[in-house]
Coordinates of all heavy atoms in Angstrom, one line a residue:
M1201 N -35.9 39.2 -93.2 CA -36.0 39.6 -94.6 C -35.4 38.5 -95.5 O -34.2 38.2 -95.2 CB -35.4 41.0 -94.8 CG -35.6 41.6 -96.2 SD -35.0 43.3 -96.3 CE -36.5 44.1 -95.9
P1202 N -36.1 38.0 -96.5 CA -35.5 37.0 -97.3 C -34.4 37.4 -98.2 O -34.3 38.6 -98.6 CB -36.7 36.5 -98.1 CG -37.6 37.7 -98.2 CD -37.4 38.4 -96.9
V1203 N -33.6 36.5 -98.6 CA -32.5 36.8 -99.5 C -33.0 36.7 -100.9 O -33.8 35.8 -101.3 CB -31.3 35.8 -99.3 CG1 -30.2 36.0 -100.4 CG2 -30.8 35.8 -97.9
E1204 N -32.7 37.7 -101.8 CA -33.1 37.7 -103.2 C -31.9 37.5 -104.1 O -30.8 38.0 -103.8 CB -33.8 39.0 -103.5 CG -35.0 39.3 -102.6 CD -35.7 40.6 -102.9 OE1 -35.4 41.2 -104.0 OE2 -36.5 41.0 -102.1
K1205 N -32.1 36.7 -105.2 CA -31.1 36.5 -106.1 C -31.5 37.1 -107.4 O -32.6 37.1 -107.9 CB -30.9 35.0 -106.3 CG -30.4 34.3 -105.1 CD -30.2 32.8 -105.4 CE -29.7 32.1 -104.1 NZ -29.4 30.7 -104.4
Y1206 N -30.5 37.7 -108.1 CA -30.7 38.4 -109.4 C -29.7 37.8 -110.4 O -28.6 37.4 -110.1 CB -30.5 39.9 -109.3 CG -31.3 40.5 -108.2 CD1 -30.8 40.8 -106.9 CD2 -32.7 40.7 -108.5 CE1 -31.7 41.4 -106.0 CE2 -33.5 41.3 -107.5 CZ -33.0 41.6 -106.3 OH -33.8 42.2 -105.3
R1207 N -30.1 37.8 -111.7 CA -29.3 37.3 -112.8 C -28.4 38.4 -113.4 O -27.4 38.1 -113.9 CB -30.2 36.7 -113.9 CG -30.9 35.5 -113.4 CD -31.8 34.9 -114.5 NE -32.5 33.8 -113.9 CZ -32.5 32.6 -114.4 NH1 -31.8 32.3 -115.4 NH2 -33.2 31.7 -113.8
S1208 N -28.8 39.7 -113.2 CA -28.1 40.8 -113.8 C -28.2 42.0 -112.9 O -29.1 42.1 -112.1 CB -28.5 41.1 -115.2 OG -29.8 41.6 -115.2
A1209 N -27.4 43.0 -113.2 CA -27.4 44.2 -112.5 C -28.7 45.0 -112.8 O -29.3 45.7 -112.0 CB -26.2 45.1 -112.7
Q1210 N -29.2 44.9 -114.1 CA -30.4 45.6 -114.5 C -31.6 45.0 -113.7 O -32.5 45.8 -113.3 CB -30.6 45.4 -116.0 CG -29.6 46.2 -116.9 CD -28.3 45.5 -117.0 OE1 -28.2 44.3 -116.7 NE2 -27.3 46.2 -117.5
E1211 N -31.6 43.7 -113.6 CA -32.7 43.1 -112.8 C -32.7 43.5 -111.4 O -33.7 43.8 -110.8 CB -32.6 41.6 -112.9 CG -33.8 40.8 -112.3 CD -33.6 39.3 -112.5 OE1 -32.9 38.9 -113.4 OE2 -34.1 38.6 -111.6
M1212 N -31.5 43.7 -110.8 CA -31.3 44.1 -109.4 C -31.8 45.6 -109.3 O -32.5 45.9 -108.3 CB -29.9 44.0 -109.0 CG -29.6 44.4 -107.6 SD -27.9 44.2 -107.1 CE -27.1 45.3 -108.1
N1213 N -31.4 46.4 -110.2 CA -31.8 47.8 -110.1 C -33.3 48.0 -110.3 O -33.9 49.0 -109.8 CB -31.1 48.7 -111.1 CG -29.6 48.8 -110.8 OD1 -29.3 48.7 -109.6 ND2 -28.7 49.0 -111.7
S1214 N -34.0 47.2 -111.1 CA -35.4 47.4 -111.3 C -36.3 46.7 -110.2 O -37.5 46.9 -110.2 CB -35.8 46.8 -112.7 OG -35.6 45.3 -112.6
A1215 N -35.7 46.0 -109.3 CA -36.5 45.4 -108.2 C -36.9 46.4 -107.2 O -36.2 47.4 -106.9 CB -35.6 44.3 -107.5
P1216 N -38.1 46.3 -106.7 CA -38.6 47.3 -105.7 C -37.9 47.1 -104.4 O -37.5 46.0 -104.0 CB -40.1 46.9 -105.6 CG -40.2 45.5 -106.0 CD -39.1 45.3 -107.0
I1217 N -37.7 48.2 -103.7 CA -37.1 48.2 -102.4 C -38.1 47.8 -101.3 O -39.2 48.4 -101.3 CB -36.5 49.5 -102.0 CG1 -35.4 49.9 -103.1 CG2 -35.9 49.6 -100.6 CD1 -34.8 51.3 -102.9
R1218 N -37.8 46.8 -100.6 CA -38.8 46.3 -99.6 C -38.3 46.8 -98.2 O -37.3 46.5 -97.7 CB -38.8 44.8 -99.6 CG -39.4 44.3 -100.9 CD -39.5 42.8 -100.8 NE -40.0 42.3 -102.1 CZ -40.0 41.0 -102.5 NH1 -39.5 40.1 -101.6 NH2 -40.4 40.7 -103.6
V1219 N -39.2 47.6 -97.6 CA -39.0 48.1 -96.3 C -40.2 47.8 -95.4 O -41.3 48.0 -95.8 CB -38.8 49.7 -96.3 CG1 -38.6 50.3 -95.0 CG2 -37.7 50.0 -97.3
P1220 N -39.9 47.2 -94.2 CA -41.1 46.9 -93.3 C -41.8 48.2 -93.0 O -41.2 49.2 -92.6 CB -40.4 46.3 -92.1 CG -39.0 46.3 -92.3 CD -38.7 46.9 -93.6
L1221 N -43.1 48.2 -93.2 CA -43.9 49.4 -93.0 C -44.0 49.8 -91.5 O -44.3 48.9 -90.6 CB -45.3 49.2 -93.6 CG -45.3 49.1 -95.1 CD1 -46.7 48.8 -95.5 CD2 -44.8 50.3 -95.7
G1222 N -43.9 51.0 -91.2 CA -44.1 51.5 -89.9 C -43.1 51.1 -88.8 O -43.4 51.3 -87.6
D1223 N -42.0 50.6 -89.2 CA -41.0 50.1 -88.2 C -40.1 51.2 -87.8 O -40.1 51.6 -86.6 CB -40.3 48.9 -88.7 CG -39.5 48.2 -87.7 OD1 -39.9 48.3 -86.5 OD2 -38.4 47.7 -88.0
S1224 N -39.3 51.7 -88.7 CA -38.2 52.6 -88.3 C -38.6 54.0 -88.1 O -38.2 54.7 -87.1 CB -37.1 52.5 -89.3 OG -37.5 52.9 -90.6
F1225 N -39.4 54.6 -89.0 CA -39.8 56.0 -88.9 C -40.7 56.3 -87.6 O -40.5 57.2 -86.9 CB -40.5 56.5 -90.1 CG -40.7 58.0 -90.1 CD1 -39.7 58.8 -90.2 CD2 -42.0 58.5 -90.0 CE1 -39.9 60.2 -90.2 CE2 -42.2 59.8 -90.0 CZ -41.2 60.7 -90.1
E1226 N -41.6 55.4 -87.4 CA -42.5 55.6 -86.2 C -41.6 55.4 -84.9 O -41.9 56.1 -83.9 CB -43.6 54.6 -86.2 CG -44.6 54.9 -87.3 CD -45.8 53.9 -87.2 OE1 -45.8 53.0 -86.3 OE2 -46.6 54.0 -88.2
R1227 N -40.6 54.5 -84.9 CA -39.7 54.4 -83.8 C -39.0 55.7 -83.6 O -38.8 56.2 -82.4 CB -38.8 53.3 -84.0 CG -37.9 53.0 -82.9 CD -37.1 51.7 -83.1 NE -36.2 51.5 -82.0 CZ -34.9 51.3 -82.1 NH1 -34.3 51.2 -83.3 NH2 -34.2 51.1 -81.0
F1228 N -38.5 56.3 -84.7 CA -37.8 57.6 -84.6 C -38.7 58.7 -84.0 O -38.2 59.4 -83.2 CB -37.3 58.0 -86.0 CG -36.8 59.3 -86.1 CD1 -35.5 59.7 -85.6 CD2 -37.5 60.4 -86.7 CE1 -35.0 60.9 -85.7 CE2 -37.0 61.6 -86.8 CZ -35.8 61.9 -86.3
L1229 N -39.9 58.7 -84.4 CA -40.8 59.7 -83.9 C -41.1 59.5 -82.4 O -41.2 60.5 -81.7 CB -42.2 59.7 -84.7 CG -42.1 60.2 -86.1 CD1 -43.4 60.0 -86.8 CD2 -41.6 61.6 -86.2
R1230 N -41.2 58.3 -82.0 CA -41.4 58.0 -80.6 C -40.2 58.5 -79.8 O -40.3 59.0 -78.7 CB -41.6 56.5 -80.3 CG -43.0 56.0 -80.7 CD -43.3 54.7 -80.1 NE -42.3 53.7 -80.4 CZ -42.2 52.9 -81.4 NH1 -43.2 52.9 -82.3 NH2 -41.3 52.0 -81.6
H1231 N -39.0 58.2 -80.3 CA -37.8 58.7 -79.6 C -37.7 60.2 -79.5 O -37.3 60.8 -78.5 CB -36.5 58.1 -80.3 CG -36.3 56.7 -79.9 ND1 -35.9 56.3 -78.7 CD2 -36.4 55.6 -80.7 CE1 -35.8 55.0 -78.7 NE2 -36.1 54.5 -79.9
C1232 N -38.1 60.9 -80.6 CA -38.1 62.3 -80.6 C -39.1 62.9 -79.5 O -38.8 63.8 -78.8 CB -38.5 62.9 -82.0 SG -37.2 62.7 -83.2
A1233 N -40.3 62.3 -79.5 CA -41.3 62.8 -78.5 C -40.8 62.5 -77.1 O -41.0 63.3 -76.2 CB -42.6 62.0 -78.8
R1234 N -40.2 61.4 -76.9 CA -39.6 61.0 -75.6 C -38.5 62.0 -75.2 O -38.5 62.5 -74.0 CB -39.1 59.6 -75.6 CG -38.6 59.1 -74.3 CD -38.3 57.6 -74.6 NE -37.5 57.1 -73.5 CZ -36.8 56.0 -73.6 NH1 -36.7 55.4 -74.7 NH2 -36.1 55.6 -72.5
Y1235 N -37.7 62.3 -76.1 CA -36.6 63.3 -75.8 C -37.2 64.6 -75.4 O -36.7 65.2 -74.4 CB -35.7 63.4 -77.1 CG -34.7 64.6 -76.9 CD1 -33.6 64.4 -76.1 CD2 -34.9 65.8 -77.5 CE1 -32.7 65.5 -76.0 CE2 -34.1 66.8 -77.4 CZ -32.9 66.7 -76.6 OH -32.1 67.7 -76.5
W1236 N -38.1 65.1 -76.1 CA -38.7 66.4 -75.8 C -39.4 66.4 -74.5 O -39.5 67.5 -73.8 CB -39.6 66.9 -76.9 CG -38.8 67.4 -78.1 CD1 -38.8 66.8 -79.3 CD2 -37.8 68.4 -78.2 NE1 -37.9 67.4 -80.1 CE2 -37.3 68.4 -79.5 CE3 -37.4 69.4 -77.3 CZ2 -36.3 69.3 -79.9 CZ3 -36.4 70.3 -77.7 CH2 -35.9 70.3 -79.0
R1237 N -40.0 65.3 -74.1 CA -40.6 65.2 -72.8 C -39.6 65.2 -71.6 O -39.8 65.8 -70.6 CB -41.5 63.9 -72.7 CG -42.9 64.1 -73.1 CD -43.7 62.9 -72.6 NE -43.1 61.6 -72.8 CZ -43.3 60.8 -73.9 NH1 -44.0 61.3 -74.9 NH2 -42.7 59.7 -74.0
I1238 N -38.5 64.5 -71.9 CA -37.5 64.4 -70.8 C -36.6 65.6 -70.7 O -36.3 66.0 -69.6 CB -36.6 63.1 -71.1 CG1 -37.5 61.9 -70.9 CG2 -35.5 63.0 -70.1 CD1 -36.8 60.6 -71.4
S1239 N -36.1 66.1 -71.8 CA -35.1 67.2 -71.8 C -35.7 68.5 -71.3 O -36.8 68.9 -71.8 CB -34.4 67.3 -73.1 OG -35.4 67.8 -74.0
P1240 N -35.0 69.2 -70.5 CA -35.5 70.5 -70.1 C -35.3 71.6 -71.2 O -34.3 71.4 -72.0 CB -34.7 70.9 -68.8 CG -33.4 70.1 -69.0 CD -33.8 68.9 -69.8
R1241 N -36.1 72.5 -71.3 CA -35.9 73.6 -72.2 C -34.9 74.6 -71.7 O -35.0 75.0 -70.6 CB -37.2 74.3 -72.5 CG -37.2 75.3 -73.6 CD -38.5 75.9 -73.9 NE -39.3 74.8 -74.6 CZ -40.5 74.9 -74.8 NH1 -41.2 76.0 -74.4 NH2 -41.2 74.0 -75.4
R1242 N -33.9 74.8 -72.4 CA -32.7 75.6 -71.9 C -33.0 77.1 -72.1 O -32.5 77.9 -71.3 CB -31.5 75.2 -72.6 CG -31.2 73.7 -72.5 CD -29.8 73.5 -72.2 NE -29.7 72.0 -72.0 CZ -28.9 71.5 -71.2 NH1 -28.2 72.2 -70.4 NH2 -28.9 70.2 -71.0
Y1243 N -33.6 77.5 -73.2 CA -33.8 78.9 -73.5 C -35.2 79.2 -73.7 O -35.9 78.4 -74.3 CB -32.9 79.4 -74.7 CG -31.5 79.3 -74.4 CD1 -30.7 78.2 -74.9 CD2 -30.8 80.2 -73.6 CE1 -29.4 78.1 -74.7 CE2 -29.5 80.1 -73.4 CZ -28.8 79.0 -73.9 OH -27.4 78.9 -73.7
P1244 N -35.8 80.3 -73.3 CA -37.2 80.7 -73.6 C -37.3 80.9 -75.1 O -36.4 81.3 -75.8 CB -37.4 81.9 -72.9 CG -36.1 82.5 -72.6 CD -35.1 81.4 -72.6
R1245 N -38.5 80.6 -75.6 CA -38.8 80.7 -77.1 C -39.0 82.2 -77.4 O -39.4 83.0 -76.5 CB -40.0 80.0 -77.4 CG -39.8 78.5 -77.3 CD -41.1 77.7 -77.6 NE -41.4 78.0 -79.0 CZ -42.0 77.1 -79.7 NH1 -42.4 75.9 -79.2 NH2 -42.3 77.3 -81.0
G1246 N -38.7 82.6 -78.6 CA -38.9 83.9 -79.1 C -37.7 84.7 -79.3 O -36.5 84.2 -79.1
V1247 N -37.9 85.9 -79.8 CA -36.8 86.8 -80.0 C -36.9 88.0 -79.0 O -38.0 88.5 -78.8 CB -36.9 87.4 -81.5 CG1 -35.8 88.4 -81.8 CG2 -36.8 86.3 -82.5
F1248 N -35.8 88.3 -78.4 CA -35.7 89.4 -77.4 C -34.8 90.5 -77.9 O -33.8 90.2 -78.4 CB -35.3 88.8 -76.1 CG -36.1 87.7 -75.6 CD1 -35.8 86.4 -75.9 CD2 -37.3 88.0 -74.9 CE1 -36.6 85.3 -75.4 CE2 -38.1 86.9 -74.4 CZ -37.7 85.6 -74.7
K1249 N -35.3 91.7 -77.6 CA -34.4 92.9 -77.9 C -34.0 93.5 -76.6 O -34.8 93.7 -75.7 CB -35.2 93.9 -78.8 CG -35.5 93.4 -80.2 CD -36.2 94.4 -81.0 CE -36.5 93.9 -82.4 NZ -37.2 94.9 -83.2
F1250 N -32.8 94.0 -76.6 CA -32.2 94.6 -75.4 C -31.6 95.9 -75.8 O -31.1 96.1 -76.9 CB -31.2 93.7 -74.7 CG -31.7 92.4 -74.3 CD1 -31.5 91.3 -75.1 CD2 -32.4 92.2 -73.2 CE1 -32.0 90.0 -74.8 CE2 -32.9 91.0 -72.8 CZ -32.7 89.9 -73.6
R1251 N -31.7 96.9 -74.9 CA -31.2 98.2 -75.1 C -29.6 98.2 -75.0 O -29.0 98.9 -75.7 CB -31.8 99.2 -74.2 CG -33.2 99.4 -74.4 CD -33.8 100.4 -73.4 NE -35.2 100.4 -73.5 CZ -36.0 101.3 -74.1 NH1 -35.4 102.2 -74.8 NH2 -37.3 101.2 -74.1
T1252 N -29.1 97.4 -74.1 CA -27.7 97.4 -73.8 C -27.2 96.0 -73.8 O -27.9 95.0 -73.6 CB -27.3 98.1 -72.5 OG1 -27.9 97.4 -71.4 CG2 -27.8 99.6 -72.5
V1253 N -25.9 95.8 -73.9 CA -25.2 94.5 -73.7 C -25.4 94.0 -72.3 O -25.6 92.8 -72.1 CB -23.7 94.6 -74.2 CG1 -23.0 93.3 -73.9 CG2 -23.6 95.0 -75.6
E1254 N -25.4 94.9 -71.4 CA -25.5 94.5 -70.0 C -26.9 93.9 -69.7 O -27.0 92.9 -69.0 CB -25.3 95.7 -69.0 CG -23.8 96.2 -69.0 CD -23.4 97.0 -70.2 OE1 -24.3 97.6 -70.9 OE2 -22.2 97.1 -70.4
E1255 N -27.9 94.5 -70.3 CA -29.3 93.9 -70.1 C -29.3 92.5 -70.7 O -29.9 91.6 -70.2 CB -30.3 94.8 -70.8 CG -30.6 96.0 -70.1 CD -31.7 96.8 -70.8 OE1 -32.4 96.3 -71.7 OE2 -31.9 98.0 -70.5
A1256 N -28.7 92.3 -71.9 CA -28.7 91.0 -72.5 C -27.9 90.0 -71.7 O -28.4 88.8 -71.5 CB -28.1 91.1 -73.9
Q1257 N -26.8 90.4 -71.1 CA -26.0 89.5 -70.3 C -26.8 89.1 -69.0 O -26.8 88.0 -68.6 CB -24.7 90.1 -69.9 CG -23.6 90.1 -71.0 CD -23.3 88.7 -71.3 OE1 -23.5 88.3 -72.5 NE2 -22.7 87.9 -70.4
A1258 N -27.5 90.1 -68.4 CA -28.3 89.8 -67.3 C -29.4 88.8 -67.6 O -29.7 87.9 -66.8 CB -28.9 91.1 -66.7
A1259 N -30.1 89.0 -68.7 CA -31.1 88.0 -69.1 C -30.6 86.7 -69.4 O -31.2 85.6 -69.0 CB -31.8 88.6 -70.4
R1260 N -29.4 86.6 -70.0 CA -28.7 85.3 -70.2 C -28.4 84.6 -68.9 O -28.6 83.4 -68.7 CB -27.5 85.5 -71.1 CG -26.8 84.2 -71.3 CD -25.5 84.4 -72.1 NE -25.9 84.6 -73.5 CZ -25.0 84.8 -74.5 NH1 -23.7 84.9 -74.2 NH2 -25.3 84.9 -75.7
D1261 N -27.9 85.4 -68.0 CA -27.5 84.8 -66.6 C -28.8 84.3 -65.9 O -28.8 83.3 -65.3 CB -26.8 85.9 -65.8 CG -25.4 86.2 -66.3 OD1 -24.9 85.4 -67.1 OD2 -24.9 87.3 -66.0
Q1262 N -29.9 85.0 -66.0 CA -31.1 84.6 -65.4 C -31.6 83.3 -66.0 O -32.0 82.4 -65.2 CB -32.2 85.7 -65.5 CG -33.5 85.4 -64.9 CD -34.5 86.5 -65.1 OE1 -34.2 87.5 -65.8 NE2 -35.7 86.3 -64.5
V1263 N -31.6 83.2 -67.3 CA -32.0 81.9 -67.9 C -31.1 80.8 -67.5 O -31.5 79.7 -67.3 CB -32.0 82.1 -69.5 CG1 -32.2 80.8 -70.2 CG2 -33.1 83.0 -69.9
A1264 N -29.8 81.0 -67.4 CA -28.8 80.0 -67.0 C -29.1 79.5 -65.6 O -29.1 78.3 -65.3 CB -27.4 80.5 -67.2
R1265 N -29.4 80.5 -64.7 CA -29.7 80.1 -63.3 C -31.0 79.3 -63.2 O -31.1 78.3 -62.5 CB -29.8 81.4 -62.5 CG -28.5 81.9 -62.0 CD -28.7 83.0 -60.9 NE -29.6 84.1 -61.3 CZ -29.2 85.2 -62.0 NH1 -27.9 85.4 -62.3 NH2 -30.1 86.1 -62.3
A1266 N -32.0 79.7 -64.0 CA -33.3 79.0 -64.0 C -33.1 77.6 -64.6 O -33.7 76.6 -64.1 CB -34.3 79.7 -64.8
G1267 N -32.2 77.4 -65.6 CA -31.9 76.1 -66.1 C -31.2 75.2 -65.1 O -31.5 74.0 -65.1
M1268 N -30.3 75.8 -64.3 CA -29.6 75.0 -63.3 C -30.5 74.5 -62.2 O -30.4 73.4 -61.8 CB -28.5 75.8 -62.7 CG -27.3 76.1 -63.7 SD -25.8 76.1 -62.8 CE -24.7 76.4 -64.0
R1269 N -31.5 75.4 -61.8 CA -32.4 75.0 -60.8 C -33.3 73.9 -61.3 O -33.7 72.9 -60.6 CB -33.3 76.2 -60.4 CG -32.6 77.1 -59.5 CD -33.6 78.1 -58.8 NE -34.4 78.8 -59.8 CZ -34.1 80.0 -60.2 NH1 -33.1 80.7 -59.7 NH2 -34.9 80.6 -61.1
A1270 N -33.7 73.9 -62.6 CA -34.6 72.9 -63.2 C -33.9 71.6 -63.3 O -34.5 70.5 -63.2 CB -35.2 73.4 -64.5
S1271 N -32.6 71.6 -63.6 CA -31.9 70.4 -63.9 C -31.4 69.7 -62.6 O -31.1 68.5 -62.6 CB -30.7 70.6 -64.8 OG -29.8 71.4 -64.2
S1272 N -31.3 70.4 -61.5 CA -30.8 69.8 -60.2 C -31.9 69.1 -59.6 O -33.1 69.5 -59.6 CB -30.2 70.9 -59.3 OG -31.3 71.8 -58.9
P1273 N -31.6 67.9 -59.0 CA -32.6 67.1 -58.4 C -33.2 67.6 -57.1 O -32.8 68.4 -56.4 CB -31.9 65.7 -58.1 CG -30.5 65.9 -58.3 CD -30.3 67.3 -59.0

């Protein structure tokens, strides 16, 4: 990126901001997509209702066990 010189602060503030097109944001999107492909999903999607706290704890333990099996080689 070339160096720009200005004679006053007003001239500097009125200058357009130059950003290389498609460089940083597209890279960010590629990294996000790569992260979601690599990382395992830890919890199932959705909202769950349980009648008791014990049922909720059992469901949480089951999800934790499934996550440990998926993450182990």
Side-chain angles (χ1 to χ4, degrees):
M1201 189 173 264
V1203 176
E1204 298 179 16
K1205 295 183 180 180
Y1206 303 102
R1207 294 177 187 239
S1208 66
Q1210 290 81 14
E1211 186 180 332
M1212 181 178 64
N1213 288 334
S1214 65
I1217 299 173
R1218 295 182 181 169
V1219 178
L1221 294 176
D1223 189 30
S1224 59
F1225 187 68
E1226 288 180 7
R1227 182 174 180 233
F1228 170 74
L1229 291 177
R1230 283 195 312 270
H1231 282 290
C1232 288
R1234 184 174 167 202
Y1235 170 77
W1236 287 114
R1237 269 195 316 268
I1238 293 171
S1239 67
R1241 189 172 286 168
R1242 305 222 177 218
Y1243 296 103
R1245 295 177 64 147
V1247 177
F1248 301 95
K1249 293 183 179 181
F1250 300 101
R1251 294 179 192 262
T1252 64
V1253 174
E1254 290 78 19
E1255 286 181 17
Q1257 282 299 117
R1260 179 183 282 181
D1261 292 339
Q1262 181 181 2
V1263 168
R1265 281 192 303 271
M1268 290 215 180
R1269 281 194 305 259
S1271 66
S1272 63

